[in-house]
């Protein structure tokens, strides 16, 4: 029998609010296949739990998540800058649940939030960030290309020009800037983040669960004009990226 993988996703329930924590703090919650599988399973369970009205997604320690764990990729082929179905399949499954579950999902960005982790955060209904948090889309820095929705969601939130600049330069930006630019709904000092998110979650869950589920579906329908086709194009289109291995070598 194959042993169960180490638990790297933690779920805590409190008064109708479920907090899902990416829990590899020593590795800045870097994303692995096991983490994505556990995340997807946890989200599916919460989606079906009628006692939960709001889900908060966050990270343990000083990071939301530093993004994909390049070391965990081992010697996997990164042809044309894609991480492959090993990660893509469970990531897309988790993101589909985030975007379709009849619960409001808040990404509580407490610290570093890069690339694949930013794609997870952008799939949530609301992003609330610590002003001091550091975020960024660093795909281009490592010769990678987005496959979890970055190319479709960042442009909708940040606008065309800013999304292009952030992706082309792989620039790091703060939680305060994320709020200023519309990527985050709100940014507060880190010391106030937990209290702010809890108050927001409590306000949301005090309202009609059916109404909130309807709003979530209606907003998704309004935004999905072109999104579904865009996501399919992002997934299906291949690009000749030849320097990925050289760029990630120091991380494997």
């Amino acid at each position: 029998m194959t042993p169960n993988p180490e638990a790297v996703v933690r779920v805590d329930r409190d008064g109708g609010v479920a907090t899902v924590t990416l829990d590899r703090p020593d590795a800045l919650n870097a994303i692995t296949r096991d983490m994505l599988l556990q995340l997807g399973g946890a989200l599916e369970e919460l989606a079906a739990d009628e006692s939960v009205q709001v889900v908060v997604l966050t990270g343990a320690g000083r990071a939301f998540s530093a993004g994909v764990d390049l070391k965990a990729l081992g010697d996997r082929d990164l042809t044309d800058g894609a991480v492959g179905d090993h990660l893509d399949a469970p990531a897309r499954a988790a993101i589909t649940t985030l975007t379709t579950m009849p619960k409001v999902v808040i990404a509580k960005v407490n610290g570093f939030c890069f690339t694949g982790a930013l794609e997870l955060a952008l799939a949530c209904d609301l992003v609330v960030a610590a002003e001091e948090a550091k975020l960024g889309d660093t795909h281009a820095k490592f010769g990678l290309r987005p496959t979890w929705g970055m190319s479709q969601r960042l442009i909708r939130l940040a606008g065309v020009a800013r999304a292009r600049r952030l992706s082309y330069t792989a620039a790091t930006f703060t939680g305060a800037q994320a709020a200023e630019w519309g990527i985050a709904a709100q940014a507060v000092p880190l010391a106030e983040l937990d209290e702010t998110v809890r108050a927001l979650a409590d306000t949301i869950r005090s309202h009609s669960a059916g109404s909130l589920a309807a709003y979530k579906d209606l907003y998704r329908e309004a935004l999905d004009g072109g999104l579904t086709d865009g996501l399919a194009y992002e997934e299906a289109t291949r690009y000749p990226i030849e320097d990925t291995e050289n760029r990630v070598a120091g991380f494997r």
Side-chain angles (χ1 to χ4, degrees):
M1 179 180 294
T2 303
N4 291 330
E6 178 185 1
V8 290
V9 173
R10 186 175 74 249
V11 178
D12 299 290
R13 291 173 171 83
D14 182 17
V17 178
T19 299
V20 180
T21 304
L22 307 179
D23 196 14
R24 294 184 69 211
D26 292 343
L28 297 179
N29 306 315
I31 297 168
T32 63
R33 177 177 171 83
D34 284 342
M35 178 180 283
L36 291 170
L37 290 170
Q38 291 178 34
L39 175 62
L43 293 173
E44 287 179 7
E45 182 178 334
L46 293 172
D49 188 341
E50 294 183 359
S51 70
V52 173
Q53 290 86 43
V54 178
V55 175
V56 176
L57 178 62
T58 193
R62 58 195 183 96
F64 180 85
S65 167
V68 168
D69 189 338
L70 297 176
K71 292 181 180 179
L73 291 175
D75 58 359
R76 289 185 178 276
D77 185 15
L78 300 177
T79 301
D80 294 335
V83 295
D85 284 345
H86 177 74
L87 291 180
D88 283 348
R92 291 181 186 133
I95 286 172
T96 295
T97 306
L98 281 173
T99 58
T100 60
M101 66 160 57
K103 324 281 182 179
V104 175
V105 185
I106 302 170
K108 182 169 70 174
V109 179
N110 51 307
F112 301 115
C113 180
F114 294 125
T115 317
L118 182 57
E119 289 179 291
L120 290 176
L122 295 182
C124 297
D125 296 295
L126 298 168
V127 176
V128 180
E131 292 175 348
E132 307 93 321
K134 303 295 185 185
L135 305 88
D137 173 16
T138 63
H139 282 98
K141 181 178 180 179
F142 298 107
L144 299 171
R145 47 73 51 88
T147 50
W148 303 353
M150 181 77 77
S151 69
Q152 303 303 304
R153 293 191 174 93
L154 183 60
I155 207 167
R156 283 166 167 76
L157 291 170
V160 177
R162 180 164 285 120
R164 283 174 169 162
R165 181 171 66 83
L166 292 175
S167 296
Y168 294 171
T169 64
T172 297
F173 54 96
T174 66
Q177 288 172 310
E180 178 185 349
W181 298 338
I183 297 169
Q186 186 177 3
V188 297
L190 178 60
E192 300 174 15
L193 183 63
D194 288 346
E195 180 180 352
T196 298
V197 170
R198 181 64 202 210
L200 176 61
D202 284 344
T203 297
I204 291 170
R205 74 181 185 87
S206 72
H207 300 309
S208 163
S211 180
L212 293 170
Y215 262 118
K216 178 161 181 171
D217 183 67
L218 289 166
Y219 279 138
R220 184 176 63 250
E221 180 66 21
L223 289 169
D224 278 3
L227 177 61
T228 300
D229 289 343
L231 290 171
Y233 185 84
E234 181 191 78
E235 177 180 348
T237 308
R238 300 291 175 260
Y239 300 94
I241 302 173
E242 300 175 354
D243 58 352
T244 307
E245 293 295 347
N246 288 337
R247 289 178 175 271
V248 305
F251 294 86
R252 302 180 72 174

